Amino acid sequence: MATMKFTLALFSAPTSPASRRALRFAEAALAGGHEIVRIFFYQEGVHGASANLVTPQDEPDLARQWQDFITAHGLDGVVCIAAALRRGVLDGQEARRYARPAANVASGWALSGLGQLHEAVQQSDRLVCFGGP
Amino acid sequence: MATLHVLSHSPFADSRLDSCLVLMSVRDGLLLSGDAVYALQPGSAPHAALRTRPAGARLYALEEDVRARALSAGDDVELIDYPRFVELAGEFDRVNSWL
């Protein structure tokens, strides 16, 4: 198969199997020599960008795995800002803007709009969405 | 346009599988992942429904999800891993996830 450009969209929380499937797909795509243009975290998927998640030691920490994966490969991880704000996932700028006591977005993430998903899809061969259970 | 349909909800919980089967064309594929692999349970209504897909439409299931539920798959099901999932995403013209 020729090299493909993928955009991935994740709609489910890091506690869901869907988040794990998305990560395994992303790993396999890069291992296969393909390109990931952008990973867009939408709806419950925005919780993956929170640095405040504490996962029990005997469970896989998907939020941490996502962050490590995105950092290690220099990927463009974009979090939907509207979905993030309503779920209390804020970076420093948004915490100041709305006078909230703390920011919790881990480093390596960018809060931005749906336009970033649209733009990435235009630059990609395939959009693959992961959501549900 | 050939579409790879991806299901992850249990077929016993909602009607996504039935809706998907109605929409499928002969060149489409169906990938069962997560709890959607319960449709492979022999003797169940969802298993019978899978047979109603258009002749020629391919059926795939994520092997680790099948094994995790101690299910087995018939000869008409290709059990796949993630590298193959990526390959399929390229072979089909688009991927439609039933979120």
Side-chain angles (χ1 to χ4, degrees), chain A residues 6-23:
Chain A
F6 288 106
T7 289
L8 305 184
L10 177 55
F11 291 68
S12 294
T15 46
S16 74
S19 185
R20 180 181 180 279
R21 285 196 295 275
L23 181 57

Side-chain angles (χ1 to χ4, degrees), chain A residues 83-126:
Chain A
L85 290 178
R86 69 170 69 232
R87 289 171 179 83
V89 177
L90 310 180
D91 61 9
Q93 188 180 341
E94 298 307 316
R96 280 191 298 279
R97 189 200 311 273
Y98 295 101
R100 291 302 188 269
N104 58 341
V105 169
S107 62
W109 303 90
L111 294 186
S112 195
L114 260 182
Q116 295 290 309
L117 174 59
H118 183 266
E119 185 201 55
V121 171
Q122 301 309 310
Q123 295 171 8
S124 304
D125 300 305
R126 296 288 184 279

Side-chain angles (χ1 to χ4, degrees), chain B residues 12-36:
Chain B
F12 296 99
D14 58 46
S15 59
R16 283 181 175 81
L17 174 63
D18 294 321
S19 301
C20 176
L21 288 168
V22 168
L23 287 174
M24 283 181 77
S25 72
V26 288
R27 293 173 58 222
D28 288 353
L30 172 58
L31 168 58
L32 303 174
S33 66
D35 283 346

